[in-house]
Amino acid sequence: MTEIVKIKEQIKKSDKITIVSHCHPDGDALGSQIALALGLEQLGMEVTMINKDPVPQTYRFLKNWELIKPHDENTGPSALMIFLDCATLDRVGYPVENIVGSNSVVINIDHHISNTNFGHLNWVEPSAAATAELIYDLLGLLHVKIDKDIATALYTGISTDTGSFLYENTTATTHLVVSDLINRGADVGLVRLNYYENINISKINLLKYILNNLKFCSDNKICWAAIKQYDFASSGATDQDTEGLINYLKNISGVEVAIIFREMAPEQVKVSFRSKKWADVNLVAEKFGGGGHPRASGCTVNEDLDKAISSVLRVVMESVT
Amino acid sequence: MTEIVKIKEQIKKSDKITIVSHCHPDGDALGSQIALALGLEQLGMEVTMINKDPVPQTYRFLKNWELIKPHDENTGPSALMIFLDCATLDRVGYPVENIVGSNSVVINIDHHISNTNFGHLNWVEPSAAATAELIYDLLGLLHVKIDKDIATALYTGISTDTGSFLYENTTATTHLVVSDLINRGADVGLVRLNYYENINISKINLLKYILNNLKFCSDNKICWAAIKQYDFASSGATDQDTEGLINYLKNISGVEVAIIFREMAPEQVKVSFRSKKWADVNLVAEKFGGGGHPRASGCTVNEDLDKAISSVLRVVMESVT
């Protein structure tokens, strides 16, 4: 029996199920969680959704988002716990023993290549663009009718996790699934209005700040910017507002490596790296105790901002020559 | 016989065919043109591609882009002339009598609702996301094998004309076609690297200028920016670099109408409008002799920049109250 069929059988034997996704949930975490919950409820099951962090404003168009609660003493562990989009159990952000009972069966459904197979049943598919792509398959196997709300939730997961079908993870299957979701009523306009066309002015201010402070080196192959604590405060931006801004640097003609330095505290600098074609920024991040992938990585440097910048740039400049 | 079948029959009777797309060609014009040319060559036909304006640098990854030439005295009119992605014959940018012979059969394939049906055979499908979607169907009907180069060209047309599957024109069919194109070898990475991740620094400078000069009114429902002739010159940007920048304004939370004023010459101001949900910017543009759609329109105001701004804002402010 394949893992997905075992998961289906396990679900069919259960009547109370808890679905958990990761802390600071994104569109794929929430879309997958809500779609699966709606599907299992259709089959008459009692579903609880728990997440450590609240649903960001931008996703509050998803059906039943308000039913996602943080764990508390009254949330007893279910016999069946399904973890979505979590590469490790830690990603939920809770001490695991608080939410998983000693007799709970743990199902782990994810698309991250770094997944540690922490569940009793593990369905990890790194070729999937999003966990939502896997939930689409699972719901099909469970004979759930994919209605408008489920389709919109799954579309949200896939669209946001692929940068609107632009990232390398997008496949022919991704588009095939999305075609079906649109046929089943996925409200693409709702996602566009609430996610893509709903950018906080604080994020715009941060983008403005970054563009005003772009630096180039190594024949313009490296483009970088640094955000001081003061700049966060004065733009009204939060660390979450930095999400995606590094792409503006990477997307400039001729740039191979993009770097954003964020001063989180004195002597604590978070560094994000992206590369376009060939530079291995995973190797760079590893030299500073971080990691990731050849095209996207990060690390934290415990030095003051100027020192961190010069230490990191020295290594990156070597990597692009 | 449906129009597409008539077009197929007409093509099959021809051995010399000229394919034309519009001036200032974009991804859909070029992708459709190149895909159709490659397909017809596969069937043994002799194909000429003519366009008034050169292929922009960003599209010079498309197979055979260098075979697209401007019309000259040696380019005799073909018996069969196929116009792609042109709402009107004028869109080619040439005096039509120079390129169409008196005995030429004119085929018009397009997805613009405003198409004037100027051809002897007209296949106009406003529900298609891109002309490339129609060329995909036509090549299927002609039993052309969609190889890697054709698939990449068609993908380019569809991806760029839908803003990477984000605009309202994107349908279930769009994703279905794209899924097939990827299966047939469409090089999505090539399009990403050459188009989406290849932004001129002059465009970044213009974006920076615009973000530094954003203005809001009507309770932040209107967001606007003006680019003076001097600003174009100092950022090194051309008018083409403004393409898409208005979306940054529209995508800000709470903004309903976005406006960009471009001073093209003294007393000549081009105005672009976008709206998010409900404001009819077509009506606004019409008051100044322009037009478009309820969500996207434009006009030219022959006043000095400050006067143009105040005339236009007065009308827009009325439209959002």
Side-chain angles (χ1 to χ4, degrees), chain B:
Chain B
M1 235 193 311
T2 61
E3 208 75 354
I4 176 172
V5 174
K6 286 184 202 161
I7 288 174
K8 181 196 76 167
E9 295 301 327
Q10 188 69 48
I11 288 174
K12 285 196 139 183
K13 283 193 297 197
S14 310
D15 51 2
K16 282 190 180 184
I17 299 176
T18 298
I19 308 176
V20 194
S21 76
H22 54 76
C23 56
H24 304 299
D26 58 11
D28 192 24
L30 295 166
S32 299
Q33 190 173 27
I34 284 172
L36 182 57
L38 287 168
L40 298 185
E41 276 161 7
Q42 217 184 80
L43 301 177
M45 294 160 190
E46 193 183 309
V47 182
T48 306
M49 294 186 279
I50 62 175
N51 278 348
K52 180 163 180 288
D53 296 306
V55 175
Q57 203 69 41
T58 193
Y59 299 113
R60 294 193 179 179
F61 63 91
L62 291 167
K63 178 82 176 173
N64 287 355
W65 70 265
E66 70 281 1
L67 302 183
I68 301 178
K69 306 274 188 204
H71 174 264
D72 65 26
E73 316 81 71
N74 305 319
T75 330
S78 296
L80 183 59
M81 308 280 306
I82 305 180
F83 289 78
L84 299 181
D85 205 42
C86 294
T88 62
L89 256 182
D90 293 354
R91 281 284 284 149
V92 299
Y94 285 117
V96 175
E97 58 277 20
N98 290 9
I99 56 168
V100 179
S102 52
N103 296 318
S104 299
V105 173
V106 171
I107 292 178
N108 163 21
I109 302 177
D110 185 30
H111 72 124
H112 293 95
I113 199 166
S114 53
N115 191 289
T116 56
N117 289 312
F118 57 78
H120 298 103
L121 292 168
N122 301 283
W123 182 26
V124 178
E125 200 72 75
S127 69
T131 297
E133 233 180 81
L134 305 177
I135 300 302
Y136 171 86
D137 285 350
L138 180 60
L139 293 178
L141 209 63
L142 285 163
H143 300 292
V144 164
K145 182 177 170 291
I146 295 190
D147 61 18
K148 188 180 171 64
D149 294 323
I150 295 176
T152 302
L154 293 176
Y155 176 86
T156 301
I158 296 173
S159 169
T160 59
D161 240 33
T162 57
S164 196
F165 312 101
L166 209 51
Y167 300 159
E168 245 169 327
N169 57 354
T170 310
T171 65
T173 303
T174 312
H175 284 284
L176 196 62
V177 168
V178 167
S179 177
D180 187 46
L181 293 176
I182 294 176
N183 277 329
R184 291 172 188 276
D187 193 340
V188 174
L190 196 68
V191 180
R192 188 175 56 240
L193 285 170
N194 283 281
Y195 183 80
Y196 295 101
E197 301 186 347
N198 192 17
I199 311 294
N200 281 336
I201 191 70
S202 56
K203 184 163 189 160
I204 296 287
N205 286 337
L206 202 57
L207 172 60
K208 184 165 85 176
Y209 175 83
I210 285 175
L211 294 182
N212 284 330
N213 291 281
L214 286 186
K215 303 277 193 302
F216 293 87
C217 56
S218 290
D219 247 351
N220 299 335
K221 287 203 288 282
I222 300 172
C223 176
W224 62 274
I227 310 170
K228 295 179 195 136
Q229 281 194 281
Y230 172 85
D231 307 319
F232 273 116
S234 65
S235 61
T238 63
D239 193 47
Q240 249 187 306
D241 288 322
T242 58
E243 197 200 312
L245 294 184
I246 196 167
N247 290 326
Y248 287 91
L249 283 58
K250 187 194 65 180
N251 292 348
I252 297 173
S253 267
V255 168
E256 174 58 25
V257 178
I259 317 169
I260 288 187
F261 298 89
R262 288 171 288 154
E263 186 186 41
M264 309 306 291
E267 312 240 327
Q268 194 203 341
V269 180
K270 279 197 187 177
V271 193
S272 307
F273 302 96
R274 294 289 182 280
S275 71
K276 196 180 273 172
K277 293 184 200 174
W278 46 266
D280 189 338
V281 291
N282 183 38
L283 287 180
V284 174
E286 277 179 355
K287 288 202 179 156
F288 294 92
H293 304 274
R295 300 285 160 269
S297 67
C299 63
T300 300
V301 180
N302 294 316
E303 289 179 348
D304 77 47
L305 184 61
D306 287 340
K307 265 202 186 154
I309 291 173
S310 68
S311 314
V312 168
L313 282 184
R314 199 174 317 121
V315 176
V316 178
M317 287 166 82
E318 272 167 30
S319 83
V320 300
T321 49

Side-chain angles (χ1 to χ4, degrees), chain A residues 272-308:
Chain A
S272 306
F273 303 96
R274 293 289 182 280
S275 72
K276 195 180 274 174
K277 293 186 199 172
W278 46 266
D280 189 339
V281 292
N282 183 38
L283 288 180
V284 174
E286 278 179 354
K287 289 203 176 153
F288 294 92
H293 303 275
R295 299 285 160 272
S297 67
C299 63
T300 300
V301 180
N302 294 316
E303 289 179 346
D304 76 49
L305 184 61
D306 286 341
K307 266 201 185 153

